[in-house]
Amino acid sequence: MKAAVLHAPKTPMKIEDVQLDKDLRPNEVLVRVTHAGVCHSDYHIMTGETPRPMPVVLGHEGAGIVEAVGDGVTRLHKGDHVALCFRPYCGWCRQCSTGHPNLCDNVELLRQSCRLNWNGETLHNFIGVSCFAEHTVVHESAAIKVPHDIPLDRVAMVSCGVMTGVGAVINTAKVQPGDHVAIIGCGGVGLNAIQGARLANASTIIAVDVLDNKLEMATMFGATHIINSRNEDPVKKVRELVKGGVDYAFEVIGLPQTMEQCYGMIRKGGTAIMVGMPPANSHVTFPAFSFFYEEKSIKGSMFGSARPSVDIPRILELYRNHQLRLDELITRHYPLEQVNEAYEAMVKGEVARSVIDI
Ligand code: APR
Ligand code: ZN
């Protein structure tokens, strides 16, 4: 089958003819991948900023159709449409049992190991999905059944970017009607945090980015105010717009500098939510006294604190009811052969999201 292989960091992915071991073990599912979203998290691997074993097949924001199921799989059948989740979960560990399957203690055991081969060489799997390929094998908990009437390119984006952005606001922060929020970074994930805030009836939604075209998109997705942080100090401006600071600020890039800005934007008792994926081993500093004196909080949000089997169908239902925008998120479609061009467009900030048609 065809797959995009990253042989080494800082080199383009190459389309190769690879072999997938399709002998399903218990609780595994074989999926024909139809679409894969172009998410920034893969890019951290391409640049080498986040080291991973190579060669690897990237892609983790996927959707497709079930082709076969292993022993013990009862919830899924051939022909089902599924969202591919990069956080499989066991269902019984402390995290799963307390409502946090996105933090499952056994996630690594459930992610498939290396079952891809190219010219006799083993290819590494990427976070249990590796969907820049025509087929993938995932743990059944990583294949979330979705309705047949929702286009699978939309489903693909929901499996990472939409879930992460909307979930950060709805699940992690639990923004309430009338709250004031700021969102730093208006990419594929940040735009979804913005529309999550609109869905939660936040009264002020301030979007911050360095690109005017992203800020235009932010307005379309529900931002009430926009700040280009190249032109003005975003912390000062946010504190002018909402006297005392916002209730929640979301960092959706993954940079120490913008994480500090995020913390600077919140009011006394407010919460800064860190959504972006920072470089491995990076550190960030916050003024210590304010934790005590102003009761400020910092909270991480990983995969939108998702409970995938509940939250993914919920988001798709909101889309069907026209309460969430997914169509407008897809700026471009690319064939797998142009996956490198798709990432170039993302880095240049040309797109909200692109989707690879596999
Ligand atoms: N200040 C403000 N905005 C910035 C800055 C900055 N210093 N640097 C980059 N941005 C903006 C970009 O202009 C872009 O609009 O951040 C946005 C990032 O968007 P994408 O590249 O589309 O990334 P996305 O897929 O949304 O992911 C964002 O979340 O899941 C993680 O790994 C992912 O760390 C990444 C983050
Ligand atoms: Zn992602």
Side-chain angles (χ1 to χ4, degrees), residues 141-259:
S141 66
I144 307 296
K145 189 171 167 174
V146 299
H148 270 78
D149 64 321
I150 312 270
L152 282 164
D153 53 356
R154 275 66 172 167
V155 173
M157 292 184 303
V158 172
S159 72
C160 172
V162 180
M163 184 68 249
T164 301
V166 172
V169 175
I170 308 285
N171 291 346
T172 313
K174 299 189 173 67
V175 167
Q176 297 297 302
D179 280 348
H180 305 290
V181 310
I183 287 136
I184 314 177
C186 305
V189 182
L191 291 172
N192 283 296
I194 291 168
Q195 66 169 338
R198 198 204 57 224
L199 193 67
N201 282 319
S203 62
T204 311
I205 305 171
I206 306 170
V208 181
D209 204 289
V210 287
L211 297 176
D212 286 332
N213 67 321
K214 291 304 180 89
L215 292 167
E216 263 170 47
M217 293 177 197
T219 306
M220 205 232 294
F221 278 85
T224 57
H225 301 76
I226 52 175
I227 300 173
N228 187 326
S229 55
R230 277 226 174 106
N231 304 336
E232 52 190 334
D233 175 354
V235 177
K236 190 163 161 257
K237 184 72 189 173
V238 164
R239 300 188 77 89
E240 263 169 42
L241 289 169
V242 179
K243 225 172 160 357
V246 291
D247 300 289
Y248 297 95
F250 299 84
E251 199 279 354
V252 201
I253 306 164
L255 297 173
Q257 182 205 352
T258 40
M259 290 177 164

Side-chain angles (χ1 to χ4, degrees), residues 27 87-110 139-141 309:
N27 306 104
R87 296 295 305 191
Y89 55 96
C90 73
W92 57 265
C93 72
R94 185 187 177 96
Q95 296 294 348
C96 286
S97 304
T98 53
H100 308 287
N102 63 317
L103 302 176
C104 174
D105 289 332
N106 295 308
V107 64
E108 290 309 333
L109 298 175
L110 304 175
H139 185 262
E140 59 174 325
S141 66
S309 63

Side-chain angles (χ1 to χ4, degrees), residues 24-352:
L24 296 179
R25 292 163 213 152
N27 306 104
E28 287 184 339
V29 183
L30 172 67
V31 177
R32 179 169 71 78
V33 181
T34 58
H35 300 88
V38 176
C39 176
H40 206 118
S41 301
D42 302 278
Y43 190 70
H44 300 303
I45 317 301
M46 296 174 201
T47 59
E49 190 180 274
T50 307
R52 297 279 304 197
M54 307 267 160
V56 60
V57 175
L58 297 176
H60 66 281
E61 187 177 273
I65 301 171
V66 173
E67 260 187 16
V69 299
D71 288 345
V73 178
T74 53
R75 288 179 309 107
L76 292 166
H77 302 94
K78 187 173 190 300
D80 282 347
H81 287 195
V82 291
L84 293 167
C85 268
F86 65 94
R87 296 295 305 191
Y89 55 96
C90 73
W92 57 265
C93 72
R94 185 187 177 96
Q95 296 294 348
C96 286
S97 304
T98 53
H100 308 287
N102 63 317
L103 302 176
C104 174
D105 289 332
N106 295 308
V107 64
E108 290 309 333
L109 298 175
L110 304 175
R111 285 174 167 167
Q112 54 159 307
S113 48
C114 310
R115 57 196 302 160
L116 285 164
N117 261 277
W118 170 73
N119 277 351
E121 188 179 356
T122 300
L123 299 176
H124 290 273
N125 177 271
F126 183 52
I127 54 177
V129 181
S130 287
C131 63
F132 289 157
E134 289 175 309
H135 284 89
T136 187
V137 173
V138 298
H139 185 262
E140 59 174 325
S141 66
I144 307 296
K145 189 171 167 174
V146 299
H148 270 78
D149 64 321
I150 312 270
L152 282 164
D153 53 356
R154 275 66 172 167
V155 173
M157 292 184 303
V158 172
S159 72
C160 172
V162 180
M163 184 68 249
T164 301
V166 172
V169 175
I170 308 285
N171 291 346
T172 313
K174 299 189 173 67
V175 167
Q176 297 297 302
D179 280 348
H180 305 290
V181 310
I183 287 136
I184 314 177
C186 305
V189 182
L191 291 172
N192 283 296
I194 291 168
Q195 66 169 338
R198 198 204 57 224
L199 193 67
N201 282 319
S203 62
T204 311
I205 305 171
I206 306 170
V208 181
D209 204 289
V210 287
L211 297 176
D212 286 332
N213 67 321
K214 291 304 180 89
L215 292 167
E216 263 170 47
M217 293 177 197
T219 306
M220 205 232 294
F221 278 85
T224 57
H225 301 76
I226 52 175
I227 300 173
N228 187 326
S229 55
R230 277 226 174 106
N231 304 336
E232 52 190 334
D233 175 354
V235 177
K236 190 163 161 257
K237 184 72 189 173
V238 164
R239 300 188 77 89
E240 263 169 42
L241 289 169
V242 179
K243 225 172 160 357
V246 291
D247 300 289
Y248 297 95
F250 299 84
E251 199 279 354
V252 201
I253 306 164
L255 297 173
Q257 182 205 352
T258 40
M259 290 177 164
E260 287 166 19
Q261 291 172 352
C262 184
Y263 186 77
M265 288 174 183
I266 55 174
R267 65 163 170 80
K268 283 186 242 173
T271 307
I273 312 259
M274 304 304 164
V275 185
M277 177 174 149
N281 303 321
S282 58
H283 288 86
V284 56
T285 50
F286 299 105
F289 195 71
S290 58
F291 284 108
F292 157 72
Y293 198 66
E294 298 181 359
E295 269 193 6
K296 287 183 163 189
S297 304
I298 300 174
K299 196 165 167 31
S301 177
M302 210 278 298
F303 190 29
S305 306
R307 295 117 341 146
S309 63
V310 176
D311 289 329
I312 288 179
R314 185 201 304 256
I315 286 176
L316 293 173
E317 188 69 22
L318 289 165
Y319 164 68
R320 193 194 268 130
N321 296 341
H322 307 289
Q323 290 165 281
L324 271 182
R325 290 166 184 258
L326 299 183
D327 303 337
E328 296 81 351
L329 265 182
I330 306 183
T331 315
R332 287 182 201 161
H333 285 261
Y334 288 89
L336 186 59
E337 288 72 13
Q338 289 179 15
V339 64
N340 296 302
E341 285 86 339
Y343 272 94
E344 275 168 35
M346 183 204 74
V347 174
K348 287 188 193 149
E350 292 172 4
V351 295

